[in-house]
Amino acid sequence: MPSLKAIRKRIISVKNTQKITKAMKMVAAAKLRRAQDSVTAIRPYAGKMHKVVMDLADRVAEDVLREAQEQGSDDREQWLRLDALIFGTGGTGGPEGRIRLVAVTSDRGLAGAFNSSINRRVERFLVEKKGPGTPDIDIDVLGKKGRDYLRRRNVKIAHELAGAEPKTAVERAAELTATLMEAVQAGTVDTIYIVYNEFKSAASQSVRVERLLPLKEPKTAASPGEPVEEAPRTLTDFVYEPGQKAVLTHLLPLYLETELYRILLESIASEFGARMSAMDNASRNAKEMIGRLTLQFNRARQAAITKELMEIVGGAEALKG
């Protein structure tokens, strides 16, 4: 059995740890409130942006496909490269072409399964999408936890960024958008996915895998002479200047940046929620451990006192004899 001094030192150590976990829980709770307000504010705007872009894509899908078929061989390839990202009209190297995956993690730990769940989902995604003849998947990683995890498993990282903070979320979203759009313009990517934690509540976060581009389900472009599928139309129509295709091309980077900004805010709020829950569990565990150690300390002290009394009584009996 450990000595009284060792148990007392252990109790003091656990109490100090409990003070730290309680303080971290309070800090995370305060930051969570602000992050939750930011998520609540961005969701309606991002939803409307998504609706506008998707509606516009539905309006011009048929016209763009026809124009791509009527262009010359050189122009047609350039058309389909960009339109494949917007409408899913083509791609090379597999059903979804060249895939780019964005993994959103954090720079710090002590947040429960926040980072590990993302890392495991990224590994599963690579297994699911990797097939015979499929090109290597390029991975962009936000956060040190995801970067270090993939490096330990010798997974090649195309681009890495620091984890997003509430004050740097806009900057991170703009930087990541520029990187992805550069790959789009260079024709090195056909499909873009992102893995992140979606904020549900302070105690609940769910890992989501979303396809950012193409906007519509991937499909093979029709060959010349084949009928073009009718794109769904809405009852209300508008006049677009300088044109539907030009407006959609201009909105695409803005839509992508808005979606990334929303996702980063979701991830930030999820991180604070996960950290608050983890620190609350750690504080409760510390309290239970302190109770067990205190009981062990009292038993050890009682055993020591009983032993001393027995020695005194034994000595007295020996003197009488």
Side-chain angles (χ1 to χ4, degrees), residues 54-70 79-80 83 86-89 216 219 221-222 226-234 237 244-245 248:
M54 292 300 296
D55 182 66
L56 183 56
D58 287 337
R59 291 172 185 273
V60 301
E62 179 184 355
D63 298 334
V64 168
L65 284 175
R66 282 205 181 94
E67 292 180 17
Q69 294 167 20
E70 294 172 358
W79 270 81
L80 292 180
D83 295 331
I86 302 176
F87 307 110
T89 54
K216 300 176 68 176
K219 60 184 179 180
E226 293 184 0
V228 179
E229 295 182 2
E230 290 292 332
R233 298 288 183 176
T234 56
D237 204 355
Q244 292 178 338
K245 182 64 166 57
L248 184 57

Side-chain angles (χ1 to χ4, degrees), residues 9-23:
K9 289 180 64 177
R10 184 73 187 278
I11 292 175
I12 294 174
S13 175
V14 175
K15 284 184 177 180
N16 291 335
T17 302
Q18 187 184 40
K19 292 178 182 179
I20 296 174
T21 56
K22 284 184 177 181

Side-chain angles (χ1 to χ4, degrees), residues 98-145:
R98 292 152 296 190
I99 298 176
R100 188 144 185 164
L101 176 65
V102 181
V104 183
T105 61
S106 66
D107 287 336
R108 292 184 294 273
L110 298 178
F114 175 81
N115 291 301
S116 59
S117 58
I118 293 292
N119 293 329
R120 288 194 300 268
R121 188 63 185 90
V122 168
E123 282 193 312
R124 192 162 81 248
F125 180 91
L126 297 178
V127 173
E128 292 171 353
K129 296 297 182 180
K130 188 63 178 176
T134 303
D136 292 337
I137 298 175
D138 294 330
I139 302 178
D140 293 350
V141 180
L142 278 79
K144 295 180 181 178
K145 293 299 180 179

Side-chain angles (χ1 to χ4, degrees), residues 195-216:
V195 183
Y196 69 100
N197 277 296
E198 183 182 29
F199 179 77
K200 298 292 186 181
S201 66
S204 176
Q205 304 85 34
S206 62
V207 178
R208 290 288 304 276
V209 180
E210 289 187 7
R211 192 185 73 241
L212 297 177
L213 294 174
L215 300 177
K216 300 176 68 176

